Amino acid sequence: MLRHVVLFTWSDDADPERRSTTLAALRRLPEEVGGMTSFAVGPDAGLREGNAHTALVADFPDVEAWRRYAEHPVHLQVIAEHVTPYLAQRIAAQYEV
């Protein structure tokens, strides 16, 4: 199984309403793209200064399933419309579990 972890830090242009809209778009990915065995995304709990603003964790049965997800047109559209324009920093990793 492959785990995909992404940490998003939003720019100043991402006000609370924008962040909520982006989270809603990300939360639709399991239904609209699929391929993952588990999926969670949410805002940082605010327990420590300097954390990223949003975390996403998705598990895939194998690398090929992750690649299909990563290259899916709906996934790419969500990134282009809801993530990239408001992004200050993105950090990601994929690892075997």
Side-chain angles (χ1 to χ4, degrees):
M1 179 169 51
L2 187 78
R3 180 158 291 158
H4 172 58
V5 179
V6 185
L7 300 175
F8 303 99
T9 300
W10 305 116
S11 70
D12 292 339
D13 294 334
D15 62 21
E17 183 179 345
R18 172 73 278 184
R19 291 182 192 196
S20 178
T21 300
T22 298
L23 274 174
L26 291 170
R27 286 183 175 135
R28 288 191 299 271
L29 289 173
E31 300 164 11
E32 295 179 351
V33 176
M36 62 282 293
T37 56
S38 70
F39 184 92
V41 62
D44 179 62
L47 303 177
R48 187 162 189 133
E49 186 69 31
N51 282 0
H53 298 129
T54 301
L56 181 151
V57 179
D59 290 338
F60 295 85
D62 52 39
V63 172
E64 292 76 23
W66 174 79
R67 287 191 196 281
R68 285 190 298 274
Y69 161 82
E71 297 169 0
H72 193 284
V74 171
H75 177 246
L76 296 175
Q77 180 182 5
V78 167
I79 291 170
E81 291 181 20
H82 297 283
V83 175
T84 303
Y86 307 100
L87 196 60
Q89 183 179 30
R90 176 190 176 274
I91 298 172
Q94 297 80 37
Y95 62 95
E96 296 284 340
V97 275

